[in-house]
Amino acid sequence: MARATGIAVWTRIAAQLREDIASGAIVPGGRLPPEAALASRFAVNRHTVRRALEDLARDRLIRIEHGRGSFVAEPVLDYQINLRPRFSEWVRRHNREPFGDKLSLRMIDPADLPECTIIREVLGLAAGEPVLELLRRGTADARPLSLSRHIFPARLEGLHAALLNHATITAALAQIGIADYLRLRSRITCRMPTPRECALLELERDAPVLHCENVNVTAANTPLELCFAIYPSHRVALIVEPTA
Amino acid sequence: MARATGIAVWTRIAAQLREDIASGAIVPGGRLPPEAALASRFAVNRHTVRRALEDLARDRLIRIEHGRGSFVAEPVLDYQINLRPRFSEWVRRHNREPFGDKLSLRMIDPADLPECTIIREVLGLAAGEPVLELLRRGTADARPLSLSRHIFPARLEGLHAALLNHATITAALAQIGIADYLRLRSRITCRMPTPRECALLELERDAPVLHCENVNVTAANTPLELCFAIYPSHRVALIVEPTA
DNA sequence: TTGTATTTGTCCGTATGTATT
DNA sequence: TAATACATACGGACAAATACA
């Protein structure tokens, strides 16, 4: 890296790294070369490289992890928690192509699920009344963004077939005559992902996930769905804007 | 554990463990004896104990961790993300005694903070304009619930002294003539805690924390505060109830 | 980094009592 | 009475995850 151009060397190194990232030479989530390697590549002292990396980190283009290395930050999609939960609309608003992989769909007695108590209470189910459980993976431009478990009362006529036939939940519900549905309440926590979740989300084992428990109702305010969703925290942030 | 009482053995073991937990014989967050130990204590097979533990886990009284053991769940405080962020009121509503440890208070140039860009943008600061940074630990009945960094424009007259003199932010702001302040926007992510955060929150290092970036404004809608807060996810859940 | 002990998870099979048919 | 299904309880073996030296 030539000197004496009137621009600080670290600035030009930072600019070069920005280009490397923007061009995709280093994939989002990927690791940058160690500081020593960068120093020799640019023929500067390691401290100069560090100054450049700090600059990128400040702009959140990379995250520097003590003892591990520096990693290109993945672009974070902001998900606004508002009245209508609509995965596809959200992703499309960010100019990405949404897709919902249906992983499984089955009818089951909630007693066989760990969330039995909550499910019965929220959906107002009698003992032994079955539910439909839909497992879904949401992707944006083929990058996994969410894993969700949707629990519906099985008594809803034709829902099983509708969920199989339509790509989105909104469309499936519309087919059985539910034109609109609303978020009543969301409960947000976070936890570490299971190995299976890591595989499905293409996630490292040490990256926590946001966990949302959503209660959704029809426009007439009858309980419709309980949804457990997880989001890799490096890819999704939840936005809340209180209105009243 | 005597048999032939008409009630399943595992049911009575579960009931006994429930009592042990309710009575405080095992503290919240504490570890239950291993399955083998419980099996010998109750003089039953390990499978019978497992059946009882599954029952408790289903009710979220304990969490079972593969290879580690079973742990008494800590009570989770639901924190409703509504228009007014008020730590003390929230904790008191759960019948616990709130306290805010002031860890540090300093005036600083935001350029020296990693969140420089956001701070300047949100608070509408000119380059070089300093801010007040307050570090705070929130506890409920002496149990750490939150660590928060509050960033105020330093230009607010008398705020430094007011923050030192009052136990709550609400009271400090009231003293300098800001009778009300509102949440404009919250951005929720999660991450692993740093060792220092673990120490302050009395947290295991493998427990993720919820991270909230809150933008708060005055009643007149002028930018007032940027607040970065973390909450141990095993102790706090965030509740969102969209209203419009 | 590696090996070992601990602990939970899952599977196999067997036997028994109870309720239903 | 007999056949069947089901929940309960036990015993053993091994896999998988974790903790620790």
Side-chain angles (χ1 to χ4, degrees):
Chain A
M1 183 81 32
R3 252 143 277 228
T5 60
I7 302 171
V9 177
W10 71 260
T11 308
R12 285 180 296 137
I13 292 176
Q16 180 61 53
L17 291 173
R18 272 172 217 275
E19 264 189 51
D20 289 353
I21 292 168
S23 74
I26 311 167
V27 295
R31 213 188 116 179
L32 271 75
E35 291 174 1
L38 289 173
S40 92
R41 166 180 157 194
F42 292 116
V44 296
N45 190 278
R46 180 169 153 255
H47 296 296
T48 312
V49 168
R50 281 183 62 76
R51 183 64 187 84
L53 292 178
E54 279 164 24
D55 194 58
L56 298 197
R58 164 156 303 179
D59 287 347
R60 302 226 176 144
L61 261 74
I62 64 170
R63 53 174 206 283
I64 302 172
E65 296 186 20
H66 192 149
R68 297 226 308 138
S70 295
F71 300 85
V72 177
E74 302 181 61
V76 176
L77 286 204
D78 283 355
Y79 179 25
Q80 182 150 4
I81 309 269
N82 49 22
L83 198 55
R84 286 182 177 77
R86 301 288 188 276
F87 176 80
S88 301
E89 289 179 24
W90 159 46
V91 172
R92 247 189 280 274
R93 246 195 305 278
H94 284 84
N95 297 314
R96 287 160 200 276
E97 192 53 32
F99 193 77
D101 290 309
K102 277 177 278 215
L103 303 178
S104 76
L105 175 61
R106 57 175 178 170
M107 189 182 298
I108 190 175
D109 185 332
D112 297 330
L113 296 173
E115 303 87 353
C116 170
T117 315
I118 308 165
I119 292 173
R120 287 232 181 88
E121 179 189 330
V122 163
L123 296 182
L125 299 179
E129 195 178 345
V131 293
L132 284 180
E133 181 201 54
L134 170 66
L135 256 66
R136 208 154 174 271
R137 183 175 69 163
T139 62
D141 289 350
R143 208 159 62 102
L145 278 194
S146 70
L147 282 180
S148 50
R149 290 172 52 217
H150 304 262
I151 314 285
F152 300 92
R155 70 172 101 96
L156 290 170
E157 197 75 44
L159 182 57
H160 191 113
L163 287 171
L164 280 177
N165 292 336
H166 289 85
T168 72
I169 291 174
T170 305
L173 289 174
Q175 188 193 304
I176 65 163
I178 299 172
D180 194 13
Y181 59 102
L182 307 173
R183 182 194 311 270
L184 183 67
R185 188 165 185 274
S186 284
R187 188 166 187 272
I188 303 165
T189 59
C190 66
R191 61 176 174 80
M192 304 310 287
T194 67
R196 178 177 153 75
E197 288 167 344
C198 283
L200 286 167
L201 290 172
E202 296 165 21
L203 201 62
E204 314 89 72
R205 276 175 39 85
D206 59 349
V209 293
L210 286 163
H211 178 116
C212 292
E213 176 189 300
N214 305 305
V215 180
N216 297 324
V217 298
T218 66
N221 213 34
T222 54
L224 172 65
E225 179 202 12
L226 187 60
C227 166
F228 304 97
I230 62 172
Y231 306 93
S233 106
H234 291 133
R235 297 180 201 154
V236 176
L238 305 176
I239 307 290
V240 181
E241 294 186 344
T243 49
Chain B
M1 183 77 35
R3 252 142 278 225
T5 61
I7 302 171
V9 177
W10 69 260
T11 306
R12 284 178 297 137
I13 292 176
Q16 179 61 55
L17 292 174
R18 271 172 218 275
E19 264 190 51
D20 290 354
I21 291 169
S23 73
I26 311 169
V27 295
R31 218 189 110 176
L32 272 74
E35 292 173 357
L38 289 173
S40 95
R41 166 180 158 195
F42 292 117
V44 296
N45 189 275
R46 184 173 149 243
H47 295 295
T48 311
V49 168
R50 281 181 61 75
R51 181 67 186 84
L53 292 178
E54 280 164 23
D55 195 57
L56 298 198
R58 164 158 304 180
D59 287 348
R60 304 232 176 137
L61 261 77
I62 64 170
R63 55 174 203 284
I64 303 173
E65 297 186 21
H66 189 163
R68 298 226 309 140
S70 296
F71 300 84
V72 178
E74 301 181 62
V76 175
L77 286 203
D78 283 354
Y79 180 25
Q80 183 149 3
I81 310 265
N82 49 23
L83 199 54
R84 286 182 176 76
R86 300 290 188 275
F87 176 81
S88 300
E89 289 179 23
W90 159 47
V91 172
R92 246 189 282 273
R93 244 195 306 277
H94 285 84
N95 298 313
R96 288 161 200 276
E97 192 53 32
F99 194 76
D101 290 310
K102 276 176 277 217
L103 304 177
S104 78
L105 175 61
R106 58 175 177 171
M107 189 181 300
I108 190 173
D109 185 333
D112 296 329
L113 296 173
E115 304 87 352
C116 171
T117 315
I118 308 164
I119 293 173
R120 287 230 181 90
E121 180 190 329
V122 163
L123 296 182
L125 300 179
E129 194 178 344
V131 294
L132 284 179
E133 182 202 53
L134 170 67
L135 255 64
R136 207 156 175 272
R137 183 176 68 161
T139 62
D141 288 352
R143 206 158 63 104
L145 279 195
S146 70
L147 281 180
S148 49
R149 289 172 53 217
H150 304 261
I151 316 285
F152 300 91
R155 71 173 100 97
L156 291 169
E157 198 73 45
L159 182 56
H160 191 112
L163 286 171
L164 281 176
N165 292 336
H166 289 85
T168 71
I169 291 176
T170 305
L173 290 173
Q175 189 193 305
I176 65 163
I178 299 173
D180 194 14
Y181 60 102
L182 308 173
R183 181 195 310 271
L184 182 67
R185 190 165 183 275
S186 285
R187 186 167 186 274
I188 303 165
T189 58
C190 66
R191 61 176 173 80
M192 303 311 288
T194 66
R196 179 177 150 76
E197 288 167 343
C198 283
L200 286 166
L201 289 172
E202 296 167 19
L203 201 63
E204 314 89 71
R205 65 182 193 291
D206 60 348
V209 294
L210 286 163
H211 178 114
C212 291
E213 176 189 299
N214 305 304
V215 179
N216 298 324
V217 298
T218 66
N221 213 35
T222 53
L224 172 65
E225 180 202 12
L226 187 60
C227 167
F228 304 96
I230 62 171
Y231 306 94
S233 103
H234 290 132
R235 297 181 200 152
V236 176
L238 305 177
I239 307 290
V240 180
E241 294 185 344
T243 50

